[in-house]
Amino acid sequence: MTSDIKIVPLGAGQDVGRSCVLVSISGKNIMFDCGMHMGYQDERRFPDFSYISQPGGATDVIDCLIISHFHLDHCGSLPYFTEKFGYNGPLIMTAPTRAIAPILLEDYRKITVDRYGETDFFTTTQIKQCIKKVRTIRVHETIQVDKDISVKCYYAGHVLGAGMFLVKVGTQSVLYTGDYNMTPDRHLGCAWVDRCSPTVLISESTYATTIRDSKRCRERDFLKKVYNVVEAGGKVLIPVFALGRAQELCILIEEFWDRMNLKVPVYFCHGLTEKATNYYKLFITWTNEKIKSTFVNRNMFDFKHISVFDRSYMNNPGPMVVFATPGMLHSGMSLNIFKAWCHDAKNMVIMPGYCVAGTMGHKLLNGSRKIETDKGSITVNMAVEYLSFSAHADAKGILQLIKNCQPKNVVLVHGEERKMSFLIDKITDQFQIPCFKPANGEQINIPCQPQVSATMSKETFKSVRSAGNQFDGMLVQKNNQLLLLSREEAVQQLGLKPHTLNLNYKLCLTGLNLEGSVIMERLHTQLSSIITDQKLGTFKRQHDGTLHLNSVHITCRTEGGRSVVHVSWNVEDEPIGKAVSEILEECGEDLITN
Amino acid sequence: MKITNHGNLDHSCCNLVKLNNVHIMLDCAANVASLTPFLPFSALQTPRLENLPSHPDMPGVLKKTPGGMLLVDSSLHLVPPDQVDVSLIDAILITNNSQMSALPFIMTDPDFHGRVYATEPCVLMGRLALIALCKYIEQCPTRRSEVDMNSIPSHVHSIFKQKSHMRQVYNKDVIDSCFAKITPVRYNEQVDLFGLVDCVPLPAGHSIGSANWVIKAGDYKISYVSSSSKLTNHTLPMEVISLANPDVLLLSNLSLNPMYFPDNTLSEVCNVVTSTVKSGGNVLIPCHSTGVILDLIEWLIQNLNKNSLSDVPIIIVSPVADAALAHPDIYGEWLNDAKQAKLYIPELPFQHSQLIKSKRIHHFSNVADGMREVYKTPCIVFAGHPSLRCGDAVLLLEKWRDDTHNAVILIESEFSFATTLAPFLPMSMRSYFCPIDPSINYSQASKLIKDIRPKTVVTSPTYFRAPVTHPNRCDLVLVSDAPVVELGVGETVNLQQPKTSINVELSLEQLDQLNMQPLKTSDGYQLVSNVSGMLKARDNKPTLGAPNPSSLRSAMYGEVELQELIAVLTSKGLTPNKVETLGAGDHFLITLSDHSSTITLSPNVTSISAHTGKMRHTLQGIVSSLLVSL
């Protein structure tokens, strides 16, 4: 009756990047996310889909594919999987993800094809075709994918439209968090989940070992650093992704510039600014309460102090602040600006997000101060700062989420192995539940306790509840249904005839001439001292002199001038009846004489 | 299952459903028609109305129009749902923004401890509609005298028959505090009430966020269908599949003016507007600032452009105009496919924001708020309140009523044409009744019943009679092929709920101990096992805990046949010595060859007496083998 939940990360197993987690639950196979890895340009950038099937066969294997949010490490291989690998089954994401993911995918495609000269990559048309297959889901909506699979979406914070997904098949369920944030930020609310008690919680663990100081402190820190550099005439480069963290930092800078009445130019390098703002306006219901309640009078995303960057501004003299994509300095405009500015110690680069191994951002953050370019190596003199602004839950947040949703098992993905081990200790310590950290391609089996339920009539339920909750009855399998019946119901519904089986024993007292009442009194004393098993109970003497215990009756009658002790009992009380009759049979009259 | 109708009109709904001991209020509407017997007022003076002659019955309170209608000069009052025991309510489910007007009355009651559920857009739009009404009332320059509603004779208007319940309209603070407590939900979101009842809102197609609710207790299903629409408008179309096969279909808010087809009236509005502005007249359309107006504007613009009238200003006057016009654009996920597709371009789903930017449409919080700058004759003005008892619509109507070129078009169907206009009559201005009611009409509702196949339909008895105005129109009657239970205003119906059963989860320990045995029963062989244990419940999800061996009892079932018993005894070498028939012939006494062991048989009792424990045990085994022990 047991069936395991099997989990295999094809990506994001003890790693950050190319998130793709396969879950097999009650015979249904669900794929969560279909990402790419920013640290690789070879085939390792995509999950190893050959694990699932031959190309063209994935639709038969995968019953549902869910994309948690629009970041490329969660959706970057989606057009490849649907259009080139041939998956054609259900594909679920939120409306903002559906709107924004194709833009990032197109960006990614352009860089890969134009810059790296890749020829066998998915095309613009394929991105469009892929997105056409999407079925959108609203926050808290439950979608019935087929007759067995239901999917519910929860708000995850992190980026606009990020969702956490609860997939239920039968009595088992898996909650996949994608990336989430347990503290609200300038433009998004925090992740929320009810006590859904999933069989397995699959959580990201990017910041598994970090407990971050308060948001306010980090914001103040960030603004102080930016301010100090521009005051000293330096330039600040902030590599970001076009949508998400960028908007939050823009709001922050915008407010600060307003308050301090600063005139230093602030630029956003990507042509997406306006389009991005439009998306944020259309999906304002996905932002936080403050933005929702004020948008009629003032759209937070219409920035006064921030204008569009042009390549030619790069070598302008004087201070400036530039938001440039992509966020990990691995290619594109942010990398170009970095190369142009990095020699000058007056300048600063602020990395506001996580950087994947293999990217320039990652190298810098690990202390590397020499970079290789096509024109030889350059020494980095500019200040390099890291500020954790990327909206992932920290250790405290992850533990909070576990507390909220009360899972029976936890699986960590999307993090570094060493850090996961630390968090696993904390989780097992605090919640005493099994916790796993599978590597890519490693299958883990989570044994599931079978859940069997039976129906009980309202009447029986009520009478059991009013009689101290003790149920005594029968379980009947009828037409593939399990019924819990009280004894009365069973007799009625199954056409049973109760039958009483009585057993009798008698002992003739030949050598004794005693009054019946005396015999019974002595017998009572003897039995009470011999039968000491508490479970059997004790005999009570009635007014008429007889002894009773449950259905066991002992009487003394005179038959043919002799006293005869009668013991009779119902078969249900066989242990007592047997004990009494054995004592009488063994000891005979001696029992009473002594 | 019990349903009580606490509403006071067919279209101001408030039903209280008791299901599995959970009390759920479905909609919470006050009767807005109760505004009509009051004297109209507005932010500025309207001397004609104020100088209407007093009625001798109650001078200073009752005024009489030239047409003979009596109007009460007092602050506005609403009639909330009737006779509700607020303390009973566990939850209130809302279908759309026009059904929330009594929420402030119920929610501010200190005895109310329930939760209110409405879709996210519905909470917002409902709040805007109520705030608009309060703002109109606040704008009134002279605070009106407080008149005791009990003193108004009931011949003035039928609502004064229930005057003891009439309540003065709440203020903005009350609305804000109440609406902040509503739990916003999305379509297909399961709302769990104590683990006993499950409620899910589904698209109703009427307006943004309008919902029908499926309410389930175990297998028992109620589909609550109210203010649903089959029209093609801006919202997600009505979902029917999930409503199907309910035990009860509770049907309310069918079209109030079924003789008008909304598609026709919509084009009639366009025609009247076109011809009026062509002749140099102004058009006044008293209406709410949410709902139908969104579709109407898009139609009207198209129509005016076609007629080369694109320079005629369109003006929307409402204290909540800015929010009412801005919000539909952020609810893209709640709109029809065509509008939803715009999200991905990205483009705003509605045209009006662009038209506001290009100054084709203007909006003002009231007529004094800069409207002068864009106002020119002819123009088209949408203004509230549609009851024509307060707000800028009253002011504009007073101003324009003497010019025969002007036109007023009433489009909101919950207000009757004659009564609404009566205080302004006689007038030269032309008036039109073009109710645009997206709600399903009788034939659509009849088809809906056919499609979703309910076991029982619970609905208003008035739907089965043709309207008083059209007694012979049998197409204006609801037809149901399912059994109908009529539920009139103030009535209660009790419906037999089939025996519901409760799902009990079996604990692992219990499963380990199960010993399923085949048992011959009246229905053939079935697998049966003895079960005992403690019932535990968490979140109303009961579990049968580990079995307690000491409490595990078994009993014998079946019948012992005499011949069978003798045969078995004989086969074991215990051939009976003597068999006597006792009593009526179905009792037997079997004496065994040892002369002291006996078996007494009767249809439901067998009694064994034996000389030795060993013998008794043997006989017990033999008899038991002929019975079933469970």
Side-chain angles (χ1 to χ4, degrees):
Chain A
M1 263 156 89
T2 55
S3 66
D4 295 357
I5 291 183
K6 299 181 193 73
I7 297 175
V8 192
L10 296 186
Q14 303 179 356
D15 187 18
V16 174
R18 60 163 200 202
S19 280
C20 184
V21 182
L22 285 181
V23 175
S24 176
I25 163 173
S26 300
K28 296 284 179 177
N29 297 323
I30 316 291
M31 185 193 279
F32 292 104
D33 282 337
C34 200
M36 54 81 85
H37 202 298
M38 316 230 185
Y40 302 114
Q41 291 303 330
D42 53 23
E43 76 283 352
R44 284 174 297 173
R45 68 187 164 203
F46 288 163
D48 179 11
F49 295 122
S50 67
Y51 182 94
I52 301 166
S53 71
Q54 293 295 308
T59 312
D60 299 330
V61 182
I62 304 293
D63 295 290
C64 182
L65 167 54
I66 297 168
I67 302 293
S68 65
H69 63 284
F70 60 65
H71 277 157
L72 288 173
D73 59 329
H74 293 261
C75 69
S77 61
L78 179 62
Y80 173 80
F81 186 56
T82 60
E83 305 312 307
K84 291 179 90 74
F85 200 77
Y87 172 74
N88 205 19
L91 169 58
I92 294 175
M93 58 179 82
T94 67
T97 307
R98 189 197 148 157
I100 297 167
I103 298 172
L104 300 188
L105 286 167
E106 177 58 24
D107 259 22
Y108 173 42
R109 189 200 65 80
K110 259 194 205 146
I111 289 177
T112 314
V113 174
D114 297 354
R115 191 166 299 259
Y116 297 102
E118 188 107 14
T119 46
D120 185 27
F121 208 66
F122 52 76
T123 64
T124 307
T125 322
Q126 283 174 325
I127 296 173
K128 283 185 183 150
Q129 279 165 349
C130 159
I131 291 301
K132 261 190 209 156
K133 298 173 184 167
V134 171
R135 176 163 180 197
T136 57
I137 186 167
R138 300 175 192 90
V139 170
H140 295 172
E141 180 178 21
T142 301
I143 282 186
Q144 202 68 38
V145 177
D146 62 21
K147 73 180 205 319
D148 300 313
I149 308 173
S150 75
V151 179
K152 178 174 179 178
C153 174
Y154 294 95
Y155 190 79
H158 187 62
V159 290
L160 193 74
M164 306 192 282
F165 294 86
L166 178 71
V167 174
K168 274 191 195 174
V169 183
T171 55
Q172 297 176 349
S173 58
V174 172
L175 177 65
Y176 176 78
T177 64
D179 294 352
Y180 63 102
N181 189 10
M182 292 297 279
T183 47
D185 65 24
R186 294 258 154 186
H187 75 304
L188 297 173
C190 61
W192 183 87
V193 65
D194 54 14
R195 202 174 71 182
C196 54
S197 313
T199 327
V200 184
L201 166 72
I202 305 176
S203 172
E204 67 135 324
S205 52
T206 321
Y207 290 125
T209 54
T210 324
I211 306 270
R212 287 178 298 176
D213 37 345
S214 88
K215 189 91 190 169
R216 294 252 165 246
C217 289
R218 274 178 285 146
E219 287 174 359
R220 216 180 307 129
D221 230 33
F222 168 76
L223 292 170
K224 207 168 103 194
K225 279 175 180 156
V226 172
Y227 183 71
N228 289 344
V229 173
V230 295
E231 274 295 288
K235 297 177 168 65
V236 180
L237 168 65
I238 307 169
V240 288
F241 286 101
L243 290 137
R245 211 48 34 210
Q247 276 69 31
E248 184 189 0
L249 295 176
C250 285
I251 293 173
L252 208 59
I253 291 269
E254 171 88 6
E255 282 177 3
F256 187 69
W257 252 237
D258 228 25
R259 198 166 68 234
M260 306 292 286
N261 202 15
L262 295 180
K263 299 285 176 249
V264 175
V266 184
Y267 300 111
F268 198 109
C269 89
H270 208 280
L272 264 178
T273 335
E274 199 191 353
K275 223 174 179 185
T277 306
N278 276 340
Y279 278 120
Y280 275 85
K281 196 170 176 182
L282 288 171
F283 292 112
I284 252 166
T285 54
W286 288 80
T287 61
N288 67 24
E289 283 310 317
K290 192 187 166 199
I291 295 183
K292 270 191 251 182
S293 58
T294 56
F295 93 97
V296 175
N297 300 321
R298 184 184 179 310
N299 187 348
M300 288 275 237
F301 301 104
D302 286 338
F303 302 116
K304 269 194 301 186
H305 299 278
I306 303 171
S307 42
V308 176
F309 185 73
D310 186 279
R311 228 185 161 75
S312 61
Y313 301 171
M314 204 189 298
N315 300 316
N316 282 1
M320 66 173 95
V321 178
V322 177
F323 290 95
T325 57
M328 298 185 192
L329 279 183
H330 55 284
S331 60
M333 185 63 89
S334 61
L335 187 58
N336 285 337
I337 299 176
F338 175 76
K339 283 179 191 166
W341 292 0
C342 69
H343 62 89
D344 191 342
K346 268 206 313 240
N347 299 340
M348 178 184 275
V349 59
I350 298 179
M351 306 296 298
Y354 185 89
C355 289
V356 159
T359 61
M360 174 69 69
H362 189 259
K363 285 178 200 156
L364 280 178
L365 291 178
N366 279 321
S368 169
R369 288 296 177 268
K370 276 214 179 291
I371 56 163
E372 299 301 322
T373 69
D374 32 1
K375 288 170 199 138
S377 97
I378 308 178
T379 310
V380 178
N381 295 318
M382 81 194 294
V384 178
E385 291 288 344
Y386 174 68
L387 269 171
S388 152
F389 268 100
S390 64
H392 293 278
D394 60 2
K396 213 169 106 194
I398 296 169
L399 294 171
Q400 184 61 46
L401 184 91
I402 295 173
K403 198 174 159 195
N404 292 355
C405 73
Q406 302 203 347
K408 298 192 181 71
N409 300 274
V410 175
V411 172
L412 298 181
V413 294
H414 200 281
E416 290 161 36
E417 197 266 331
R418 194 175 38 80
K419 296 181 177 176
M420 286 179 172
S421 306
F422 171 82
L423 186 60
I424 284 180
D425 289 345
K426 287 207 128 189
I427 293 170
T428 42
D429 186 45
Q430 193 172 335
F431 300 101
Q432 287 87 44
I433 48 175
C435 197
F436 309 84
K437 52 171 174 62
N440 284 335
E442 179 194 344
Q443 173 176 317
I444 53 164
N445 290 346
I446 295 176
C448 292
Q449 298 170 344
Q451 259 192 30
V452 179
S453 18
T455 53
M456 185 186 275
S457 72
K458 224 174 174 176
E459 291 70 25
T460 303
F461 185 75
K462 266 187 196 155
S463 68
V464 171
R465 292 302 292 263
S466 59
N469 286 324
Q470 175 65 44
F471 175 76
D472 174 37
M474 289 178 203
L475 183 73
V476 180
Q477 190 178 4
K478 200 174 183 182
N479 308 329
N480 279 330
Q481 249 197 323
L482 286 174
L483 308 173
L484 275 170
L485 304 177
S486 68
R487 296 212 165 255
E488 295 73 29
E489 285 173 322
V491 165
Q492 212 176 42
Q493 294 186 22
L494 303 178
L496 295 179
K497 286 187 193 139
H499 195 99
T500 312
L501 179 55
N502 281 328
L503 301 166
N504 302 279
Y505 171 78
K506 60 182 173 182
L507 175 66
C508 296
L509 304 174
T510 44
L512 271 178
N513 197 7
L514 285 170
E515 285 267 328
S517 63
V518 177
I519 294 172
M520 290 308 288
E521 200 185 319
R522 288 190 182 172
L523 203 53
H524 189 204
T525 320
Q526 289 290 357
L527 287 176
S528 306
S529 68
I530 297 171
I531 303 176
T532 49
D533 190 346
Q534 289 296 319
K535 269 189 274 174
L536 294 178
T538 50
F539 277 95
K540 294 257 156 40
R541 217 169 150 207
Q542 307 291 311
H543 292 299
D544 59 359
T546 56
L547 298 182
H548 286 216
L549 174 55
N550 297 344
S551 70
V552 188
H553 290 221
I554 307 178
T555 52
C556 181
R557 281 177 244 156
T558 311
E559 287 172 14
R562 280 181 299 188
S563 299
V564 180
V565 175
H566 280 265
V567 187
S568 91
W569 66 95
N570 188 297
V571 72
E572 290 164 28
D573 288 312
E574 174 68 8
I576 309 168
K578 195 175 165 208
V580 172
S581 60
E582 272 172 4
I583 292 165
L584 288 175
E585 199 176 337
E586 237 171 74
C587 310
E589 282 173 24
D590 298 350
L591 197 64
I592 294 144
T593 347
N594 301 327
Chain B
M1 210 273 285
K2 195 167 101 172
I3 310 177
T4 307
N5 182 349
H6 291 285
N8 30 48
L9 275 179
D10 281 340
H11 60 279
S12 53
C13 289
C14 184
N15 291 300
L16 191 62
V17 172
K18 184 185 170 195
L19 179 65
N20 262 9
N21 259 326
V22 180
H23 288 81
I24 307 164
M25 178 175 271
L26 301 176
D27 281 329
C28 193
N31 179 358
V32 279
S34 66
L35 298 176
T36 50
F38 292 92
L39 183 70
F41 67 91
S42 72
L44 301 174
Q45 303 251 307
T46 45
R48 187 191 64 86
L49 289 166
E50 279 142 39
N51 296 331
L52 283 176
S54 270
H55 188 267
D57 274 4
M58 292 183 81
V61 174
L62 284 184
K63 305 256 172 134
K64 193 171 181 181
T65 69
M69 185 189 188
L70 293 180
L71 294 169
V72 181
D73 188 3
S74 157
S75 55
L76 299 183
H77 282 65
L78 289 172
V79 187
D82 227 2
Q83 317 260 341
V84 183
D85 182 352
V86 169
S87 66
L88 285 180
I89 302 169
D90 294 305
I92 302 181
L93 309 180
I94 300 293
T95 54
N96 72 76
N97 57 49
S98 68
Q99 302 296 320
M100 309 172 88
S101 46
L103 275 181
F105 296 130
I106 302 274
M107 290 176 79
T108 50
D109 190 314
D111 289 334
F112 178 74
H113 301 293
R115 294 189 76 165
V116 184
Y117 299 91
T119 63
E120 205 179 351
C122 188
V123 176
L124 190 113
M125 304 291 181
R127 181 177 160 272
L128 290 182
L130 298 192
I131 284 189
L133 180 60
C134 311
K135 289 249 173 124
Y136 290 136
I137 292 169
E138 279 169 23
Q139 281 167 8
C140 177
T142 51
R143 287 212 65 81
R144 296 231 190 159
S145 53
E146 283 309 318
V147 176
D148 181 4
M149 288 300 116
N150 286 310
S151 64
I152 315 286
S154 53
H155 68 80
V156 172
H157 191 280
S158 60
I159 67 154
F160 292 107
K161 283 176 191 149
Q162 16 178 0
K163 55 204 163 197
S164 58
H165 309 304
M166 293 187 80
R167 300 272 300 268
Q168 205 169 338
V169 178
Y170 25 76
N171 61 38
K172 183 174 177 293
D173 293 344
V174 172
I175 297 174
D176 283 340
S177 82
C178 288
F179 274 69
K181 285 183 212 139
I182 302 178
T183 310
V185 294
R186 283 80 174 187
Y187 291 142
N188 299 319
E189 174 173 349
Q190 283 174 347
V191 175
D192 172 84
L193 302 177
F194 317 108
L196 296 170
V197 177
D198 204 35
C199 313
V200 178
L202 301 169
H206 183 275
S207 48
I208 302 179
S210 66
N212 290 318
W213 288 82
V214 168
I215 302 156
K216 274 185 177 171
D219 292 336
Y220 193 73
K221 174 174 172 180
I222 302 173
S223 293
Y224 175 47
V225 174
S226 180
S227 302
S228 296
S229 179
K230 286 290 199 179
L231 274 191
T232 309
N233 58 13
H234 56 272
T235 70
L236 268 181
M238 176 183 182
E239 205 212 295
V240 176
I241 297 167
S242 306
L243 297 170
N245 302 313
D247 293 273
V248 172
L249 167 66
L250 180 57
L251 184 64
S252 66
N253 269 12
L254 301 187
S255 170
L256 279 167
N257 291 287
M259 36 291 188
Y260 294 86
F261 290 104
D263 283 338
N264 298 350
T265 47
L266 202 58
S267 42
E268 201 192 329
V269 172
C270 292
N271 293 341
V272 172
V273 170
T274 313
S275 64
T276 307
V277 295
K278 266 187 180 162
S279 71
N282 293 328
V283 180
L284 174 64
I285 305 179
C287 64
H288 293 297
S289 41
T290 59
V292 156
I293 188 175
L294 296 174
D295 293 313
L296 185 53
I297 288 178
E298 295 196 349
W299 268 74
L300 207 53
I301 291 282
Q302 238 180 50
N303 211 277
L304 290 171
N305 289 350
K306 219 165 47 195
N307 287 285
S308 321
L309 292 166
S310 50
D311 56 335
V312 178
I314 297 178
I315 302 171
I316 298 164
V317 187
S318 160
V320 295
D322 49 356
L325 291 169
H327 275 94
D329 274 329
I330 70 164
Y331 291 127
E333 290 176 69
W334 302 81
L335 303 177
N336 67 26
D337 286 349
K339 292 216 183 302
Q340 242 184 79
K342 294 195 174 181
L343 289 180
Y344 306 112
I345 298 180
E347 258 177 29
L348 291 173
F350 287 93
Q351 294 171 16
H352 58 247
S353 302
Q354 196 51 48
L355 295 167
I356 290 168
K357 239 185 221 165
S358 65
K359 306 231 180 270
R360 182 79 176 82
I361 296 180
H362 310 270
H363 65 89
F364 303 100
S365 63
N366 59 63
V367 288
D369 174 32
M371 181 175 152
R372 195 183 303 274
E373 285 151 36
V374 299
Y375 172 73
K376 61 171 186 181
T377 303
C379 68
I380 303 156
V381 179
F382 293 87
H385 186 270
S387 65
L388 287 181
R389 294 303 178 266
C390 57
D392 303 283
V394 173
L395 206 68
L396 292 168
L397 189 53
E398 277 301 296
K399 204 172 155 200
W400 293 347
R401 62 190 282 279
D402 294 328
D403 189 337
T404 177
H405 290 103
N406 296 339
V408 57
I409 311 173
L410 302 194
I411 60 165
E412 302 284 0
S413 62
E414 76 245 55
F415 299 103
S416 96
F417 182 64
T419 323
T420 308
L421 274 184
F424 306 91
L425 298 179
M427 63 180 187
S428 318
M429 190 179 188
R430 288 166 299 127
S431 56
Y432 300 88
F433 187 49
C434 305
I436 306 173
D437 189 344
S439 303
I440 49 173
N441 58 31
Y442 295 110
S443 55
Q444 286 168 325
S446 304
K447 173 154 190 317
L448 184 73
I449 294 174
K450 260 204 176 87
D451 289 345
I452 72 172
R453 297 178 303 278
K455 292 204 181 86
T456 307
V457 178
V458 176
T459 193
S460 164
T462 56
Y463 294 152
F464 296 98
R465 295 191 292 268
V468 189
T469 45
H470 301 76
N472 300 321
R473 290 279 298 273
C474 54
D475 57 321
L476 299 181
V477 171
L478 184 65
V479 179
S480 168
D481 45 7
V484 172
V485 175
E486 295 186 346
L487 177 64
V489 168
E491 293 176 356
T492 296
V493 295
N494 278 294
L495 292 171
Q496 194 66 40
Q497 195 179 335
K499 259 198 189 166
T500 47
S501 49
I502 287 164
N503 248 336
V504 179
E505 197 185 318
L506 303 177
S507 63
L508 286 179
E509 296 87 342
Q510 195 62 255
L511 290 175
D512 280 347
Q513 294 284 320
L514 283 182
N515 179 23
M516 300 296 278
Q517 296 172 352
L519 172 73
K520 194 179 176 194
T521 69
S522 42
D523 292 343
Y525 278 95
Q526 279 166 357
L527 288 172
V528 179
S529 171
N530 250 359
V531 176
S532 91
M534 292 293 276
L535 259 191
K536 297 169 202 158
R538 193 176 135 185
D539 296 343
N540 282 310
K541 289 182 183 107
T543 306
L544 191 62
N548 176 4
S550 69
S551 70
L552 192 64
R553 300 173 69 99
S554 62
M556 312 291 284
Y557 297 97
E559 204 170 332
V560 180
E561 298 283 341
L562 177 67
Q563 293 314 319
E564 208 177 339
L565 178 60
I566 292 171
V568 179
L569 286 170
T570 312
S571 74
K572 302 261 173 176
L574 296 166
T575 317
N577 192 26
K578 195 164 70 177
V579 177
E580 296 159 78
T581 306
L582 306 173
D586 54 357
H587 288 53
F588 306 97
L589 175 64
I590 303 166
T591 311
L592 296 186
S593 45
D594 65 355
H595 295 283
S596 57
S597 300
T598 57
I599 300 174
T600 322
L601 276 190
S602 75
N604 44 25
V605 182
T606 302
S607 198
I608 297 169
S609 295
H611 196 57
T612 63
K614 196 173 163 237
M615 179 57 120
R616 190 180 63 245
H617 191 71
T618 310
L619 295 179
Q620 185 193 332
I622 290 170
V623 174
S624 297
S625 72
L626 301 173
L627 292 165
V628 183
S629 169
L630 276 170

